[in-house]
Amino acid sequence: QVQLVESGGGLVEAGGSLRLSCAASGGTFSRYMMFWFRQAPGKQRELVARVSSDFSTVYADSVKGRFTISRDNAKKTVHLQMNSLKPEDTAVYYCASANSYFSLSSGYWGPGTQVTVSS
């Protein structure tokens, strides 16, 4: 019912910025909690940030103060503004949606977009 597609990834030098976007179709976008996850080679997928239907946000400690998640319900999109990027931010970034964090197993995922930060 819901499809998600990420965009905006690329190669950037340490200290630079990127803005990721996730376009959603199907479902009732405004009712979903939206997530950004990332997965580096050989590592487990980790939560980067999430934004709820009431626009409240949660960030991983490693990105707090550098990344900002936002949503535009009218355009059915979610964004991740990434500033002061570090080489350890290099990963495939995934957009996801679910009714809650605890229902992610039955949620929806995009195919991912590569972010590479050079030192």
Side-chain angles (χ1 to χ4, degrees), residues 19-104:
R19 185 176 187 248
L20 305 184
S21 298
C22 174
S25 61
T28 305
F29 179 83
S30 62
R31 294 186 180 274
Y32 285 102
M33 179 173 287
M34 302 298 298
F35 305 79
W36 284 101
F37 285 82
R38 68 185 180 188
Q39 187 168 27
K43 300 186 68 176
Q44 292 255 300
R45 185 174 295 180
E46 64 175 341
L47 176 67
V48 176
R50 70 183 194 222
V51 57
S52 67
S53 58
D54 67 359
F55 300 94
S56 63
T57 58
V58 174
Y59 297 92
D61 287 342
S62 59
V63 308
K64 202 169 298 180
R66 300 188 297 121
F67 291 11
T68 303
I69 189 171
S70 61
R71 66 189 298 158
D72 185 334
N73 289 340
K75 295 181 178 179
K76 302 176 75 171
T77 58
V78 61
H79 303 280
L80 185 69
Q81 178 66 46
M82 305 185 294
N83 299 326
S84 302
L85 283 162
K86 305 174 181 179
E88 49 263 45
D89 294 319
T90 295
V92 176
Y93 283 71
Y94 297 90
C95 177
S97 67
N99 289 330
S100 72
Y101 176 83
F102 301 103
S103 61
L104 268 172

